[in-house]
Amino acid sequence: MIELDNLSIRSGPFALDHVNLSIPEGAYAVLMGGTGQGKTTILEAICGLRKVTGGRVLLCGEDATRHKPADRGVGYVPQDLGLFPMMSVRGHLEFALRVRRSPPALIRQRVDDLARLLGIEKLLERHVQNLSGGEAQRVALGRALSFRPRILLLDEPLGALDEITRDRLCELLRTIQRQSRLTTLHITHSRSEARLVAERLIVLSAGRLAERPLADLDVLPAAAGEELRSPPVERRTHVSRSTSG
Amino acid sequence: MSDSPAADLPASPALAAHRAGSDVPFFVVMGGLGGSYLLLIVALLAADIAFTSPAHFVAALSKPEIQYAVRLTLISCTISALLSIWVATPLGYLLSRFSFRGRWLIDTILDIPVVLPPLVIGLSLLILFHLPIGGTNLEQFLNEHVRFGERRLTVTFSQPAVVLAQFAVACAFAVQTMRVTFDQIDTRPEQVALTLGCRRSQAFLNIALPQAWRGIVAATTIAWARSLGEFGPILVFAGATRMRTEVLSTTVFLELSVGQLEAAVAVSLLMIVAAMGVLGIVRLVGARVSQ
């Protein structure tokens, strides 16, 4: 479960004030909103990489606001993936388990299981700089899942992929999420991607998070750079006026 | 009214066919300006080589005091370069990754050895070690409290002063290099490592440091080369005592001061060969590692 209770974040001129959010345990939520609204900032605050100036972050019912990122049990896939440039695919999948000093046999078993699940068995010894976009996404996902997190945060993880690869990965994400009962928050600008994975739709607009019915995906404008708060009918009227004059 | 803004542009007559012309003047001007400095360096080297002869070279190298200076130079430069990188790596990382109140002051202090005349660094070191504090001074304190077997530690006008004088200047350049190195390394993988269970130290050692190896090699080379060329602070803080604190840069000065111009030029060439050798080896090693 992810809960944001009156969360405030300030960073230079950028500010988010009194943001509230609640995602029940095991739910797959998609977060949409215009560019520069603060979606990534919210994700970073949840996993502890962004200092909050007020309010609370509750993870699985526990106040984690002051917890270090390492102690939050959150798997994180950033937009640029943040792969470790000097490491092999195996190194990525082993990393979190090695940090936790897990027994070698358990590490081997977990890496094999993850590689099979993600379809990257043949890539294990390959260096990450020699991976395609889709392969790199799978490695980043495998790394985030390797230590069995309770929560998974995905920041536009499929943005740079072609449609077929994206659809396959969406299917994979849903399978993994259902199997592991992971509470997942997934940022995307793509309505079709959201349709494939979302159980819940959350929209960030003008500094406010609001849950919308999934049916709104059909009427929401393309998320990037557009104002999502205005009802679609009014928006169409507005566009019509501006172009007619 | 049309929807397309481009349609609002007034109609213009067809543009005449355009030819960009030759790029030769560009390369002549740029190459001429840049090449003039290259030419100056080559001319300096050629003049030194023309002035000296193999006999001068052999004569200079056969002197025991110059052989001692070569040994002390290689040892002191290596120690000061290693000390510099040991300090510059954590300092460069902290300055690159964290912003805090008063950082401008730290930045300014760290730039002092870069902008200050090296002679002043030597003078300041001399004063630091001999400034009376509570009835003693740093030199005396170290002499009384630090021992290596039977030997007491003496800094001023002895070999440790050579290393310290070199380190005081060279480290500032190593810090700058390491800071730029870490600035260029993406912070995202380190952030991800923190979410995967790492402490800051683990993220630094496992993720940032392996990516910084090129910068570490560059900073070590710069510190070594800077130490090789250091003269002023060594002269003031360590002196130029033959067979004791004489390094190659002070040898050039000592040979000049007794009118031995040929020996001074021969030693200068030796320094050039040493510097080029180290730079060449480092680049070769760097190229092999990156392959």
Side-chain angles (χ1 to χ4, degrees):
Chain A
M1 185 175 187
I2 303 171
E3 269 187 280
L4 303 183
D5 176 25
N6 269 321
L7 195 73
S8 297
I9 307 160
R10 283 180 187 280
S11 175
F14 178 81
L16 273 174
D17 283 316
H18 307 296
V19 172
N20 290 289
L21 172 73
S22 180
I23 303 171
E25 189 144 4
Y28 199 121
V30 162
L31 173 59
M32 298 183 84
T35 304
Q37 295 268 347
K39 301 186 296 296
T40 297
T41 305
I42 289 173
L43 239 60
E44 287 178 346
I46 294 171
C47 59
L49 297 172
R50 177 78 65 164
K51 212 172 182 180
V52 302
T53 48
R56 296 187 304 162
V57 176
L58 293 113
L59 304 175
C60 303
E62 192 184 347
D63 185 355
T65 318
R66 305 282 164 231
H67 288 182
K68 288 180 183 173
D71 301 332
R72 296 194 180 202
V74 173
Y76 175 46
V77 179
Q79 193 174 357
D80 54 9
L81 305 182
L83 293 179
F84 307 144
M86 311 294 281
M87 236 178 248
S88 67
V89 171
R90 183 184 291 281
H92 279 77
L93 300 186
E94 287 177 344
F95 188 81
L97 302 170
R98 285 195 183 281
V99 168
R100 286 169 171 74
R101 298 179 188 278
S102 303
L106 191 143
I107 295 177
R108 242 188 333 270
Q109 184 62 48
R110 181 70 181 150
V111 169
D112 289 346
D113 290 347
L114 275 170
R116 204 167 30 251
L117 179 70
L118 296 163
I120 51 173
E121 302 104 307
K122 288 179 182 169
L123 305 176
L124 282 175
E125 308 312 324
R126 202 185 284 182
H127 200 272
V128 290
Q129 283 170 345
N130 302 324
L131 299 177
S132 70
E135 291 166 346
Q137 303 278 6
R138 285 166 194 259
V139 173
L141 182 61
R143 180 184 59 182
L145 294 170
S146 61
F147 63 101
R148 299 182 192 279
R150 301 170 297 172
I151 291 162
L152 183 62
L153 303 178
L154 307 165
D155 190 354
E156 295 185 46
L158 314 175
L161 300 179
D162 63 83
E163 220 167 304
I164 296 170
T165 313
R166 192 196 61 184
D167 290 356
R168 277 188 196 148
L169 278 174
C170 280
E171 210 171 290
L172 182 65
L173 276 171
R174 281 300 277 146
T175 309
I176 291 169
Q177 188 267 339
R178 282 197 193 107
Q179 280 175 1
S180 317
R181 295 288 302 149
L182 272 168
T183 309
T184 305
L185 183 55
H186 175 148
I187 293 178
T188 182
H189 283 294
S190 160
R191 278 176 292 186
S192 57
E193 188 179 312
R195 276 190 202 98
L196 287 170
V197 293
E199 287 174 358
R200 287 166 177 263
L201 172 66
I202 295 153
V203 173
L204 175 64
S205 178
R208 290 280 171 270
L209 284 170
E211 185 158 358
R212 298 268 192 98
L214 283 177
D216 273 11
L217 276 172
D218 298 324
V219 290
L220 280 173
E226 292 192 35
E227 180 56 59
L228 295 175
R229 194 169 53 169
S230 320
V233 177
E234 283 177 28
R235 171 169 281 278
R236 274 201 298 274
T237 312
H238 174 73
V239 170
S240 151
R241 273 180 198 155
S242 68
T243 52
S244 62
Chain B
M1 191 175 181
S2 168
D3 283 349
S4 166
D8 296 339
L9 284 171
S12 57
L15 293 170
H18 170 70
R19 280 183 178 276
S22 170
D23 285 331
V24 173
F26 168 79
F27 287 111
V28 168
V29 171
M30 302 295 267
L33 288 172
S36 59
Y37 181 59
L38 194 70
L39 199 67
L40 175 67
I41 298 171
V42 173
L44 290 173
L45 288 175
D48 282 351
I49 292 166
F51 185 82
T52 193
S53 68
H56 290 140
F57 212 72
V58 172
L61 274 180
S62 60
K63 287 183 182 175
E65 57 268 26
I66 292 184
Q67 288 174 2
Y68 178 88
V70 170
R71 273 200 304 276
L72 182 60
T73 302
L74 292 177
I75 293 169
S76 63
C77 287
T78 305
I79 294 173
S80 66
L82 292 175
L83 285 174
S84 296
I85 202 66
W86 184 250
V87 171
T89 303
L91 196 53
Y93 181 77
L94 291 174
L95 290 172
S96 167
R97 291 291 185 268
F98 302 99
S99 50
F100 45 88
R101 207 173 284 178
R103 206 181 84 166
W104 66 270
L105 185 64
I106 292 176
D107 286 339
T108 309
I109 291 170
L110 287 170
D111 281 341
I112 288 174
V114 177
V115 296
L116 216 60
L119 200 67
V120 179
I121 303 276
L123 184 64
S124 304
L125 279 168
L126 197 62
I127 291 168
L128 172 70
F129 273 75
H130 293 275
L131 188 73
I133 307 165
T136 183
N137 60 46
L138 190 55
E139 179 71 38
Q140 199 179 335
F141 179 84
L142 291 172
N143 191 259
E144 284 168 3
H145 294 89
V146 183
R147 289 184 183 197
F148 299 101
E150 289 299 303
R151 294 183 64 185
R152 290 169 181 274
L153 176 66
T154 310
V155 178
T156 315
F157 300 119
S158 61
Q159 292 95 339
V162 175
V163 174
L164 195 53
Q166 289 172 338
F167 168 78
V169 179
C171 188
F173 291 88
V175 169
Q176 282 187 341
T177 309
M178 287 315 298
R179 184 179 174 168
V180 171
T181 298
F182 286 118
D183 279 346
Q184 289 171 349
I185 294 174
D186 184 13
T187 56
R188 187 62 84 185
E190 286 165 66
Q191 291 180 335
V192 173
L194 295 178
T195 69
L196 292 169
C198 279
R199 293 189 302 273
R200 282 251 172 227
S201 58
Q202 289 172 310
F204 168 70
L205 291 171
N206 291 309
I207 308 300
L209 201 56
Q211 292 182 71
W213 71 267
R214 277 176 200 274
I216 291 171
V217 170
T220 311
T221 313
I222 288 166
W224 196 94
R226 187 71 216 187
S227 301
L228 178 74
E230 218 49 73
F231 170 68
I234 295 174
L235 196 66
V236 175
F237 186 46
T241 313
R242 298 221 111 156
M243 306 296 283
R244 183 173 166 86
T245 58
E246 184 186 353
V247 286
L248 286 175
S249 55
T250 47
T251 302
V252 175
F253 170 74
L254 289 173
E255 293 295 336
L256 268 177
S257 63
V258 295
Q260 293 286 328
L261 192 57
E262 292 82 4
V265 174
V267 173
S268 303
L269 280 172
L270 192 67
M271 288 176 74
I272 292 167
V273 170
M276 288 177 75
V278 168
L279 291 174
I281 289 168
V282 167
R283 284 193 181 145
L284 201 71
V285 170
R288 286 207 175 163
V289 172
S290 63
Q291 276 170 11

